[in-house]
Each structure stands twice: as C-alpha cells, then as structure tokens.
Amino acid sequence: MAVCSSPGKVILFGEHAVVFGEPALAVAIDLRTEVTVAPASEWSVDRGSIDDAHHKYVRMAVEASGTKGPLRIAIKSGIPESSGMGSSAAVTVASLGAMHAIRGGVEPEMVAREAFDVEHSVQGRASPIDTSTSTHGHAVLVLKERGSDFLWRMQRGERQWYLHHRDIPPMTFVVGHTGVEAATGPLVERVKANCEKSAKARKMIAEVGQITLDGIDAIQKKDWATSGQLMDRNHKLLNALGVGHDKLDELIAAAKPFSYGAKLTGAGGGGSMIALTDKPDEVAHAIEAAGGRAFKVLTGQRGMEVSIR
Ligand code: MEV
C-alpha cells in the first residue's frame, strides 16, 4: 500500500490575477491531506463508490495518472473544504502521489502537471499555483519569466506560468474561515467576465501582479509593515474585482487592530481571510468572536511526501 500526504496552502498575494498569468505567491501550511491506496478487488473511496459526486478530484486523478486499478482509496483530510486553503489541490496531489508510488515512481513535476490538468478541468479555468504549492511545499512564487530557483513551467493556450521555489522567513498568519463555502470555478469566471468588459478591471489585475513583486521583496526584507499594507491593498482590489464577501470584511475588521495587514485568501466569495500578525492569540480570539473559525498556521511546510508500507 502507498500513502501520500500533501499540504494545504494560503495565497499571500496574487490570487485571481495569477489565472491571467500575473505573479503570485503561495505558502504551504501545516494542515495536510493524506491519501492511502492499496490494490483491491473493486474500486472504492472511503468504503463508498468512487463515482460519488464528492470524489470528483480523486476520480479525475485516477484518469490523469492512467491508473488501471482497482484500488481501495482512503482519504484523511485536515483541510476544511471550499475554505481557500487548497483542500482540492491537496487531495488531488496526494491521490496522484499515492497512485504513482504504488506503481513504482513519483516525480514531483509530473504530479504537479497532472494535478493542474485535474484542477483545470474541474474548475474550467485555473492557474497551477495551488497544485504546484501542494506538490513542492515551502513557498512558491509564480513569475512571467524564468528566474532563480526555477521549478517548472506550465502553459494553457496563451497563458504561461513559471513556478519558482522561494525561501521566506518564518511568518505567523491566522486564517479566518467564514464558514461560507464558495466554489472557485464561478468566481474565476466572474473575474474573467469583469476583465472582458472593463479596462479598469484589467488594470487592477496588473496592479495585483505588481503587489506580488513588491510583496515578496518586503517579505524577504522582513518588512512586515509594508507586507501588511500590500495585503490590505490586494484585498481592496479583490473586492473591487467582485470576489469579496461581507463576512470576509467582518473578519478582516476584527483582525486588523492586532495585525500588520489582512486580506482574503484563495478564490474569495466566502472562504477564508488571512492576517499577518505577531499577536496570533489576539487575532484568533477576535476572529472567533466575530463568528469565524480561526486557524494559526505555520508556513513553509514540506510538500508532497510519499511512503510505501
Ligand atoms: C484559488 O486558490 C486561486 C485562484 O487564483 C484560482 C487559481 O489560481 O486557479 C482564485
């Protein structure tokens, strides 16, 4: 039997803009999904049918990896679903990692490519940031061209992404989950529609890309005040692009007195916000008092890890 564990992620800067090929920065967090696969006489996921609507990502990972099976698959997820913390990317990467491992070899770049194929087909339109971060771990910076610590390049039509490893200093974030579930695909479509009809929206996407470049600079200098201001601005732009939610703004307002900055993370429309802080207990308390669910997350975690038992 093979076991693969993959981390969730938070996007520090650049969600949505990255779908258009703009820069973005994500870090792997200490919430993980573990997938176990073992040969069996028929296909199953958590003792139920693999055709269950809940197992779309796993079923597509089976297809993408060319696994013949049948396999008994078990999933242990520590990442809340539709929360902006990369649960679908983590289950896809962990499924692919375990299925390749049982056949003999796991190559991170191949897993990242297949996981992106899966996410792209389910969402309709996507960037490779979530799946590459869950595969590689640590911090992943997407750029428009190849730079230092290059990992791999991905392409969809005209759009291309150069993914890079980044070492970033330890940072403390508190994630506030609104409890409002929002599917990523329709939110990505909404931003696309806004950009098709509005030059102002297209300018905002470009500004988010620049915020990522300034953000990685500020983080590497440990300039938390500037990092926080850039997060605040990034959040305003995401709101203006139509992917905000009142509950996100409430949690952000609650966290702000104890934070350098805060923004939605992931697709938005609900989901989660993150706050950069050196007072995580105060922030977590304020988020819970405002009706959210708080997670103190450790950044820069290991990527996909596989073992054969
Ligand atoms: C979702 O975590 C991030 C988005 O930018 C979508 C994507 O990159 O595929 C909203």
Side-chain angles (χ1 to χ4, degrees):
M1 112 181 148
V3 183
C4 182
S5 141
S6 301
K9 62 88 215 333
V10 288
I11 297 183
L12 303 189
F13 299 106
E15 50 274 273
H16 286 288
V18 68
V19 178
F20 295 81
E22 288 293 331
L25 176 67
V27 293
I29 58 173
D30 56 332
L31 300 177
R32 302 183 74 89
T33 292
E34 188 183 272
V35 173
T36 304
V37 305
S41 54
E42 56 182 34
W43 283 101
S44 67
V45 181
D46 290 341
R47 297 174 191 276
S49 161
I50 192 170
D51 295 322
D52 188 301
H54 280 105
H55 305 315
K56 199 163 39 180
Y57 287 95
V58 177
R59 206 168 50 243
M60 293 192 63
V62 169
E63 268 170 42
S65 62
T67 302
K68 294 283 178 289
L71 296 173
R72 177 165 40 84
I73 302 172
I75 304 167
K76 255 197 264 168
S77 177
I79 311 169
E81 272 177 38
S82 301
S83 66
M85 289 190 268
S87 64
S88 56
V91 79
T92 306
V93 168
S95 300
L96 286 164
M99 286 186 286
H100 281 295
I102 209 165
R103 280 166 27 194
V106 188
E107 218 274 291
E109 180 170 343
M110 186 170 67
V111 168
R113 284 188 187 286
E114 290 175 353
F116 178 41
D117 287 345
V118 169
E119 190 137 277
H120 199 277
S121 359
V122 176
Q123 263 174 230
R125 194 176 148 85
S127 84
I129 193 165
D130 291 9
T131 39
S132 284
T133 306
S134 188
T135 308
H136 176 71
H138 310 282
V140 170
L141 178 67
V142 181
L143 294 174
K144 287 180 174 178
E145 52 202 33
R146 186 178 172 138
S148 60
D149 290 327
F150 171 71
L151 293 170
W152 44 70
R153 184 183 81 99
M154 306 238 175
Q155 186 158 11
R156 274 295 177 287
E158 309 258 279
R159 294 169 297 144
Q160 51 180 335
W161 300 269
Y162 291 83
L163 293 114
H164 301 81
H165 165 89
R166 279 293 172 274
D167 282 318
I168 61 171
M171 301 168 82
T172 312
F173 286 99
V174 179
V175 178
H177 184 19
T178 57
V180 179
E181 290 194 6
T184 302
L187 290 156
V188 167
E189 271 310 307
R190 187 182 302 171
V191 176
K192 180 169 171 255
N194 285 344
C195 287
E196 275 165 1
K197 57 177 193 270
S198 150
K200 201 166 152 208
R202 292 194 290 277
K203 247 181 96 185
M204 289 194 271
I205 290 288
E207 184 181 343
V208 172
Q210 185 58 45
I211 285 175
T212 297
L213 299 178
D214 295 344
I216 182 73
D217 219 43
I219 286 173
Q220 285 180 324
K221 290 183 184 138
K222 299 189 186 173
D223 178 350
W224 308 135
T226 303
S227 306
Q229 282 161 14
L230 290 164
M231 288 171 70
D232 293 345
R233 176 72 188 149
N234 194 160
H235 181 70
K236 279 208 176 88
L237 291 166
L238 287 163
N239 264 347
L241 285 163
V243 294
H245 190 280
D246 287 351
K247 196 70 209 165
L248 280 167
D249 286 339
E250 282 169 30
L251 300 190
I252 287 173
K256 279 303 276 291
F258 315 102
S259 306
Y260 293 104
K263 61 181 274 293
L264 74 79
T265 188
S272 298
M273 46 71 69
I274 43 168
L276 173 61
T277 181
D278 45 24
K279 297 191 181 84
D281 291 330
E282 283 91 330
V283 172
H285 187 262
I287 286 173
E288 302 253 339
R293 191 166 157 215
F295 300 80
K296 287 177 240 171
V297 297
L298 297 175
T299 58
Q301 300 293 305
R302 302 172 320 276
M304 169 185 82
E305 284 184 333
V306 172
S307 63
I308 298 283
R309 295 179 189 163

